[in-house]
């Protein structure tokens, strides 16, 4: 079964030939500008949930874990997401406030990796985020926390059908 599964995986197509072309020489100095451009491209291409990303954290024991979340905002405070402080990811962020985000838009063959320290935003901002959730019932959730990741690195990755993928990395200072 292992060999058959390996062959099946190898037979799957990689990337289509009509992917966008990305030239890092034309990239803006501000990575958030490029992210917003790529996000708009994903929306225009009909990518479902283009605001969804994988968040990777590491707990006190050093074991990584990841799960899918939704980007809530992107502003001077950082790349925002939310969770309950009592959840596994909330506990891991309490133990080790570092994380990595990975956005993947398969229709465009694009990924964006964002990594850096994470901080808790205010109780007021967290309560507002909870209240704005689609299924909000007006009740409070004191465990709900809005977080902000302040990037120290952002990498843009554009796939190419010839497998000469293009990477463009920004190294930043968190502050």
């Amino acid at each position: 079964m292992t060999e058959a599964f390996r062959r099946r995986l190898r037979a799957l197509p990689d990337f289509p030939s009509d992917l966008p072309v990305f030239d890092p020489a034309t990239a803006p100095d501000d990575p958030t500008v490029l992210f917003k451009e790529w996000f708009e491209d994903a929306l225009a291409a009909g990518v479902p949930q283009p605001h969804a990303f994988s968040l990777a954290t590491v707990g006190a024991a050093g074991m990584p874990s990841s799960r899918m979340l939704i980007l809530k905002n992107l502003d001077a405070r950082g790349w925002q997401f939310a969770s309950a402080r009592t959840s596994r990811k909330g506990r891991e962020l309490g133990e080790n406030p570092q994380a990595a985000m990975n956005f993947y838009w398969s229709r465009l063959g694009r990924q964006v990796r964002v990594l850096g320290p994470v901080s808790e935003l205010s109780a007021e901002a967290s309560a507002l985020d909870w209240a704005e959730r689609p299924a909000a019932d007006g009740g409070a959730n004191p465990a709900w926390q809005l977080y902000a990741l302040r990037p120290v690195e952002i990498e843009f990755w554009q796939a190419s059908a010839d497998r000469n993928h293009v990477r463009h990395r920004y190294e930043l200072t968190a502050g």
Side-chain angles (χ1 to χ4, degrees):
M1 169 120 170
T2 301
E3 182 61 24
F5 187 65
R6 186 189 71 78
R7 280 194 311 273
R8 181 167 171 75
L9 290 173
R10 298 292 291 181
L12 293 172
D14 284 331
F15 298 104
S17 60
D18 61 344
L19 293 173
V21 174
F22 173 55
D23 179 2
T26 65
D29 291 337
D30 182 348
T32 60
V33 170
L34 184 56
F35 178 81
K36 289 175 181 178
E37 288 174 9
W38 280 26
F39 179 83
E40 291 299 328
D41 291 347
L43 279 172
V47 172
Q49 293 187 305
H51 57 326
F53 65 93
S54 173
L55 179 76
T57 56
V58 176
M63 291 298 294
S65 63
S66 66
R67 75 283 298 147
M68 298 302 293
L69 294 176
I70 298 294
L71 184 66
K72 301 294 189 122
N73 198 4
L74 171 53
D75 64 18
R77 296 175 293 179
W79 299 55
Q80 297 169 26
F81 60 93
S83 181
R85 283 187 303 280
T86 54
S87 70
R88 179 176 178 173
K89 69 182 147 303
R91 291 189 311 272
E92 289 172 346
L93 287 168
E95 296 164 353
N96 183 2
Q98 305 285 326
M101 301 171 148
N102 190 4
F103 295 84
Y104 179 57
W105 303 308
S106 62
R107 290 185 184 170
L108 300 173
R110 287 180 169 170
Q111 293 185 68
V112 179
R113 289 186 320 106
V114 183
L115 60 132
V118 175
S119 61
E120 294 183 356
L121 296 182
S122 70
E124 295 78 20
S126 299
L128 178 62
D129 182 73
W130 176 258
E132 290 178 340
R133 288 170 53 96
D137 63 3
N141 182 349
W144 193 250
Q145 182 62 55
L146 188 62
Y147 296 94
L149 186 151
R150 294 293 304 247
V152 295
E153 180 181 311
I154 303 175
E155 182 184 79
F156 292 81
W157 183 88
Q158 175 64 65
S160 177
D162 65 5
R163 307 219 30 98
N164 288 315
H165 311 310
V166 177
R167 287 178 174 81
H168 182 59
R169 188 171 72 227
Y170 294 84
E171 292 186 26
L172 311 163
T173 57

